[in-house]
Amino acid sequence: MENNIVISAQDLSKVYRRGSEEVRAVDGISFEAFAGEMVAITGPSGSGKTTLLNLLGCLDNPTSGTLSAGGREVFGGGRAPGERELTLLRRELFGYVFQKFYLIPTLTVEENIMLPGAFYEAPGAKAALDVMRLLGIERRYRHLPGELSGGEMQRVAIARALINSPKVVLADEPTGSLDSRRAGEINEILRSLTRQGITVVMVTHNLELAGRADRRLEIRDGKIHAA
Amino acid sequence: MNIYSIAYKNLLRKKTRTALTAGGIMLSTWVLATLLGFNRGYQQGLNRDIDNMGFQVLLTAKGCPYEAATLMLKGGTGLRYMPENVVSTVYKNPEVEKVTPMLMQGVFDPNKGENGAVAAYLGVDAATFPGMKPYLEFKQGGWFTDNKAYEAVLGYEAAELETREVGDKMLIPGVDREIKVVGVLKRSGTQDDGTIFLPIEAVQKLFGKQGKLTGLGIKVKKDADLDAFENKLYDLPDVQVVSMAQVKTTIMNLVNSARVIVMGIAGIALIIAMAGVINTILMSVMERYAEIGIIKSMGALPLDVFKMIWVETAILCGLGGAAGIGLAFLTARLAEAAVRYFLPYAPNGALVALDGGITAFSFALILCGGLLSGIYPAWRAARVRPLEAIRSEGE
Ligand SMILES: Nc1ncnc2c1ncn2[C@@H]1O[C@H](COP(=O)(O)OP(=O)(O)O)[C@@H](O)[C@H]1O
Ligand SMILES: [Mg+2]
């Protein structure tokens, strides 16, 4: 099992300062995610789910604790990598999916998916077609995001996250703005990724969907309440 | 997918804003190119006009020399007269290669135009004048050979205006005398185009100006000391020395001082256009914080984002600049008409001379200004943290 650990966090904390007040958004969380598993993070609003997910995805720097990703120590022992190192790490390891999709409205579905290719050597049209087929949006490839339904937009966003063949997909309330049928579909898609060995860490409010994950992590006040 | 098409498509997102900004750049490029073109065209035209006079020094009767020169150039009237014997006095100087006497006469013609107009006749010496203007070519006929003959040679435009051809007769108003057209000149692009040339003695006789001249054109020998010669001429009584070199400098100085002001305006236009670019691109960056954050979370480095925004600025300025250059070419004739209206004297020919150098310089200047303006917004965009996209999500 040891070898299959993709993300490992030890005593991870993130403290925000609001004036003299300290907010311990993430408070000493230790957590490991294995290859090909789906972990659901739940908890009340403001409990620190998003902050934790951002820390795991190396989008944010922890205040303390250590974080290893893809077998390498990223944060820890006073080490804080530079922006370039973090960017390269994100290219290699992570795909991100957000509640609000964040597609670029001026680009077509295909162009949105192939966006990383504008900045570095990334998989091209063939790979884009493969992920579009996987997500059932290949017929929409010439459409602009504005012409799609919410469910379709989230599929495009997932396709964009997958184009780089990430090891981990981090999804922050990916079904939050969808109706329950679409939410179920998106959840199924994310679930199916685990069969290719991709680790999916998903924040959700939907307890039913969380129940379909391999593991559930409940957060309260920045701490793991129940696993 | 490349950053050029992303940048280009982003500019199309807010079409009106993009168009307005590009319009500002277009206008400042237009002003710049037109002014530079005008500067060149005016100078070239002035040089051509003055060189084509065939003489370097003009003697006129006492009066304001520049007024006289301007009148000469414009083919005007109201000149004073000097005695014919200056010709021989001047000719005695060893520096002189050729002299040609001239008598300008204006006649009010009540039948011309709506309220009548002045017709100008230039009496020239059949023996010496054609030799001073070897570049004048005839469309029809040729020079008169007898200084007493009632014959005329018409400049190209004068012939069109009077609708006369060789062999036609034309009436000189006021003196009721018919003269015969013996030659029509080809277009020369100089003030000669609008002139009606008559033999000098005929003009003297027709208008009762026997023994009088309005001007004496002097061609100086190539190796002669022009300054020393001019100084000698100053000693002649009742005579003004108009050095064409000085006229050129004086007119250029006048035009240059006006140009400094106009260049200042062009500079301000450029700064305003640049402020517009900064504003537009910065706004577009602010509106796209989330998108830029996402792009960075997907693996774009700060330099990539900087380039993307910079390319956007370059496209905006490039399009605006190109449009401005195009506009300058399209409106060159119009700008010329305006300049002719406002300036007391403007040379013949193209006043706004746009060429590759001016075009390239104006375009490069605008592009540099634009790229400079793009640095700050691009830097702001490059600094966006991927997290900011997610933070703006809210719960
Ligand atoms: N950038 C920030 N600055 C200050 N406080 C923050 C910031 N981001 C989040 N917080 C605080 O941290 C806590 C956890 O927030 P978050 O991780 O967004 O919770 P969740 O996603 O579970 O709703 C909240 O109290 C929130 O107000
Ligand atoms: Mg959240």
Side-chain angles (χ1 to χ4, degrees):
Chain A
M1 221 35 176
E2 282 282 298
N3 286 341
N4 289 333
I5 295 176
V6 193
I7 302 177
S8 162
Q10 299 303 319
D11 206 16
L12 208 60
S13 294
K14 179 73 184 182
V15 183
Y16 291 113
R17 248 167 264 280
R18 272 197 213 123
S20 57
E21 197 191 344
E22 273 192 355
V23 180
R24 306 188 72 84
V26 169
D27 193 2
I29 285 183
S30 298
F31 162 82
E32 281 167 347
F34 300 93
E37 74 164 340
M38 185 174 191
V39 183
I41 299 177
T42 59
S45 198
S47 56
K49 305 182 294 295
T50 296
T51 308
L52 176 63
L53 200 71
N54 291 342
L55 289 176
L56 297 178
C58 302
L59 288 171
D60 204 357
N61 296 12
T63 313
S64 65
T66 58
L67 180 83
S68 303
R72 270 173 286 164
E73 185 170 278
V74 186
F75 294 97
R79 212 184 92 85
E83 181 158 8
R84 188 182 171 82
E85 191 184 335
L86 281 178
T87 303
L88 299 180
L89 190 77
R90 284 183 213 126
R91 284 183 192 175
E92 187 189 320
L93 280 183
F94 298 107
Y96 307 90
V97 178
F98 305 99
Q99 181 180 348
K100 286 189 177 168
F101 327 132
Y102 293 118
L103 301 177
I104 298 191
T106 49
L107 303 181
T108 64
V109 164
E110 189 187 32
E111 288 168 336
N112 263 288
I113 294 170
M114 287 166 64
L115 192 60
F119 303 100
Y120 57 93
E121 208 61 50
K126 171 77 178 66
L129 185 62
D130 286 345
V131 286
M132 282 192 284
R133 285 212 177 107
L134 183 72
L135 291 158
I137 47 171
E138 72 272 19
R139 288 216 208 94
R140 298 297 228 166
Y141 79 110
R142 280 263 170 258
H143 286 254
L144 291 172
E147 299 160 356
L148 306 178
S149 71
E152 285 171 321
M153 281 198 266
Q154 195 58 296
R155 284 166 195 251
V156 176
I158 294 172
R160 183 179 64 184
L162 291 179
I163 189 78
N164 273 344
S165 321
K167 292 201 167 58
V168 184
V169 168
L170 299 160
D172 196 353
E173 304 193 32
T175 60
S177 22
L178 305 177
D179 62 40
S180 62
R181 197 164 77 92
R182 310 274 170 243
E185 284 169 15
I186 292 296
N187 196 63
E188 264 326 295
I189 289 167
L190 291 172
R191 259 230 74 93
S192 70
L193 299 179
T194 58
R195 268 176 255 130
Q196 303 168 33
I198 297 174
T199 305
V200 178
V201 182
M202 176 181 75
V203 168
T204 184
H205 273 122
N206 188 325
L207 292 183
E208 196 213 319
L209 295 183
R212 294 190 215 159
D214 299 312
R215 259 201 300 156
R216 204 179 117 192
L217 213 62
E218 195 180 333
I219 309 283
R220 292 249 168 110
D221 295 327
K223 293 191 176 78
I224 296 179
H225 183 73
Chain B
M1 260 290 85
N2 57 56
I3 59 172
Y4 302 98
S5 69
I6 299 176
Y8 171 71
K9 284 179 175 172
N10 186 60
L11 284 171
L12 295 180
R13 194 183 298 197
K14 298 258 160 103
K15 290 196 182 69
T16 314
R17 185 169 74 189
T18 301
L20 284 175
T21 314
I25 298 161
M26 178 181 82
L27 284 181
S28 60
T29 318
W30 172 72
V31 170
L32 193 70
T34 302
L35 284 177
L36 290 173
F38 166 69
N39 184 46
R40 172 156 311 178
Y42 194 94
Q43 201 154 2
Q44 280 172 352
L46 186 62
N47 281 335
R48 194 174 50 229
D49 261 19
I50 284 178
D51 294 344
N52 283 350
M53 295 194 88
F55 39 78
Q56 297 96 323
V57 183
L58 177 69
L59 287 193
T60 66
K62 273 240 185 308
C64 171
Y66 297 124
E67 183 194 348
T70 302
L71 280 169
M72 275 300 296
L73 286 163
K74 280 169 99 174
T77 56
L79 292 169
R80 289 156 224 242
Y81 302 97
M82 57 186 180
E84 212 168 19
N85 59 22
V86 267
V87 178
S88 49
T89 319
V90 169
Y91 206 71
K92 281 187 200 116
N93 286 290
E95 294 92 340
V96 174
E97 188 187 322
K98 281 181 198 163
V99 293
T100 190
M102 287 173 281
L103 177 61
M104 173 74 81
Q105 184 67 42
V107 184
F108 184 75
D109 183 353
N111 299 322
K112 227 184 200 178
E114 261 177 56
N115 304 311
V118 172
Y121 301 94
L122 183 64
V124 297
D125 178 23
T128 55
F129 188 78
M132 282 217 183
K133 305 244 181 184
Y135 62 88
L136 287 180
E137 287 182 73
F138 279 87
K139 193 179 137 202
Q140 287 182 304
W143 285 109
F144 32 73
T145 48
D146 180 1
N147 268 343
K148 291 193 182 67
Y150 288 128
E151 291 174 345
V153 168
L154 305 184
Y156 184 84
E157 277 161 24
E160 287 204 327
L161 204 71
E162 303 278 345
T163 58
R164 289 292 184 282
E165 291 186 10
V166 167
D168 290 350
K169 300 234 154 72
M170 57 187 284
L171 189 72
I172 298 187
V175 295
D176 284 334
R177 183 81 209 189
E178 272 198 338
I179 50 172
K180 198 176 141 201
V181 178
V182 296
V184 174
L185 296 170
K186 280 190 187 162
R187 193 188 282 285
S188 66
T190 68
Q191 79 273 9
D192 295 325
D193 286 348
T195 308
I196 301 173
F197 300 92
L198 263 52
I200 187 157
E201 283 177 46
V203 176
Q204 286 171 333
K205 200 171 156 212
L206 279 171
F207 299 100
K209 298 281 166 10
Q210 279 91 348
K212 287 177 179 165
L213 302 177
T214 52
L216 183 67
I218 305 170
K219 188 170 181 184
V220 182
K221 283 179 185 156
K222 273 207 169 58
D223 48 357
D225 182 348
L226 195 60
D227 284 341
F229 175 61
E230 279 172 12
N231 279 332
K232 261 195 272 178
L233 292 179
Y234 285 126
D235 298 336
L236 288 174
D238 305 323
V239 158
Q240 280 290 339
V241 182
V242 182
S243 153
M244 290 337 266
Q246 276 173 30
V247 171
K248 206 164 20 180
T249 327
T250 308
I251 295 181
M252 254 356 264
N253 283 346
L254 279 170
V255 173
N256 278 345
S257 55
R259 195 165 52 99
V260 168
I261 298 168
V262 184
M263 275 298 172
I265 297 171
I268 292 167
L270 180 65
I271 290 168
I272 293 173
M274 280 173 63
V277 171
I278 297 180
N279 183 52
T280 296
I281 302 291
L282 202 56
M283 260 167 80
S284 137
V285 167
M286 300 293 183
E287 288 163 3
R288 285 185 294 161
Y289 252 59
E291 270 173 46
I292 293 169
I294 288 297
I295 285 174
K296 289 190 87 176
S297 78
M298 287 185 339
L301 287 165
L303 190 64
D304 297 324
V305 176
F306 186 93
K307 271 198 275 184
M308 182 178 81
I309 303 299
W310 226 29
V311 164
E312 210 172 297
T313 318
I315 293 175
L316 190 66
C317 295
L319 290 179
I325 301 278
L327 192 67
F329 273 99
L330 284 179
T331 59
R333 298 289 92 84
L334 216 68
E336 248 167 56
V339 166
R340 280 192 203 285
Y341 183 80
F342 286 114
L343 286 187
Y345 162 70
N348 291 284
L351 271 191
V352 179
L354 292 166
D355 60 16
I358 286 173
T359 307
F361 176 78
S362 311
F363 189 74
L365 194 70
I366 295 294
L367 206 60
C368 286
L371 288 179
L372 219 60
S373 326
I375 289 178
Y376 178 65
W379 176 75
R380 286 288 298 266
R383 272 191 6 171
V384 170
R385 298 178 60 212
L387 199 58
E388 287 175 67
I390 299 114
R391 274 296 163 223
S392 55
E393 189 175 9
E395 295 302 296

